[in-house]
Amino acid sequence: MKIVVIGGTGLIGSQLVNQLQHSGHEVIAASPNNGVNTLTGEGLSEVLQGAQVVVDVSNSPSFEDNAVMNFFKTANENLLPAEKAAGVQHHIALSVVSTQKLQASGYFRAKQVQEDLIRASGIPYTIVHATQFFEFAGGIVQMSVVDGKVIVPAANIQPIASKDVAAFVAETALEKPANKILEIGGPEKFDMAVWVKQYLQATHKNYEVAADTNAPYSGALITADTLVPETAVFLGKTNYADWISKPENQR
């Protein structure tokens, strides 16, 4: 098969391309760096020619409300019709567990628009809802700092290693379209404050951590298990304590 990976040079995309290439398929990493731009439409018809599968793991460079909405809406309004014209048989998109419950957040409103466009496209699809990646702990800390203290929601989180996400998406790319959402997560459920403390301890960062039921996540209020998959079809095998103990992961 010819498989095109949109966002194929990013955190997930680069691992995904590597795994799919080892399975013997023709795999193209499509990104603005190599002449394929979903925002302008540049290079789309050319790269999609003869493609059976498209995997979209791209992400907005800005999380500001208007910018992120423009990214996901415009990119998919260009990408999906180009796929339809090229006869693509399976569109796979990576999204986030509970996107539909986080609509107070501009980022998740944009992800919902992406998912709605996919469903309306007429192309057989699979939407993968993943939990937060291990690699996002530092970013969650930064967006949660208030007056020098890290204040996170009093809620649970079930993070997953990006390599486990890439492995699942690679398998999904070789299977028939599910035409629905598939949820995936990590092997362990944590209290978010406990998880953040593990990250801070491993990376030698000194912050006081507090949990608050009124603290938002990415601009949205959440309940205890909003960020936890309800019906996971796959749980990653990588344990967080093992992962964060390696120096290359302590960023």
Side-chain angles (χ1 to χ4, degrees), residues 212-249:
D212 183 347
T213 53
N214 294 314
Y217 177 81
S218 191
L221 292 177
I222 62 175
T223 59
D225 282 334
T226 300
L227 302 181
V228 174
E230 291 180 10
T231 53
V233 299
F234 168 82
L235 296 178
K237 295 179 174 58
T238 309
N239 176 280
Y240 184 70
D242 294 338
W243 183 88
I244 197 62
S245 70
K246 295 175 181 171
E248 65 268 23
N249 296 325

Side-chain angles (χ1 to χ4, degrees), residues 171-226:
E171 287 182 17
T172 303
L174 305 180
E175 294 174 355
K176 291 181 179 178
N179 292 310
K180 63 180 182 180
I181 290 169
L182 302 180
E183 286 190 323
I184 66 173
E188 305 162 279
K189 182 163 82 169
F190 298 92
D191 177 286
M192 195 183 299
V194 171
W195 182 57
V196 164
K197 286 175 183 175
Q198 278 194 39
Y199 163 78
L200 292 171
Q201 184 175 10
T203 55
H204 310 292
K205 294 181 174 70
N206 294 313
Y207 281 106
E208 183 182 345
V209 179
D212 183 347
T213 53
N214 294 314
Y217 177 81
S218 191
L221 292 177
I222 62 175
T223 59
D225 282 334
T226 300

Side-chain angles (χ1 to χ4, degrees), residues 17 25 32 34 51-52 72 76 94 113 123 137 145 167 215 230 239 243:
V17 166
H25 297 280
N34 51 25
Q52 286 87 15
F72 284 114
N76 281 274
L94 181 60
V113 166
I123 301 166
V145 174
E230 291 180 10
N239 176 280
W243 183 88

Side-chain angles (χ1 to χ4, degrees), residues 35-145:
V36 180
N37 191 323
T38 54
L39 288 179
T40 64
E42 177 195 0
L44 278 180
S45 59
E46 294 85 355
V47 78
L48 293 173
Q49 192 170 1
Q52 286 87 15
V53 177
V54 172
V55 187
D56 184 3
V57 292
S58 61
N59 206 355
S60 174
S62 167
F63 285 10
E64 187 273 324
D65 283 5
N66 291 330
V68 75
M69 179 61 78
N70 178 65
F71 177 86
F72 284 114
K73 187 171 186 291
T74 303
N76 281 274
E77 286 175 342
N78 287 329
L79 176 60
L80 294 164
E83 287 183 31
K84 188 91 170 172
V88 169
Q89 297 159 21
H90 190 184
H91 178 94
I92 299 151
L94 181 60
S95 195
V96 189
V97 161
S98 291
T99 287
Q100 71 283 3
K101 297 178 183 177
L102 295 162
Q103 293 300 292
S105 161
Y107 180 82
F108 289 102
R109 286 196 298 274
K111 291 297 287 181
Q112 188 64 56
V113 166
Q114 176 190 21
E115 293 185 21
D116 292 344
L117 287 167
I118 291 166
R119 289 190 188 92
S121 70
I123 301 166
Y125 70 91
T126 305
I127 296 171
V128 177
H129 269 197
T131 55
Q132 290 65 33
F133 307 161
F134 290 173
E135 288 86 349
F136 290 175
I140 290 172
V141 165
Q142 289 309 309
M143 75 180 190
S144 304
V145 174

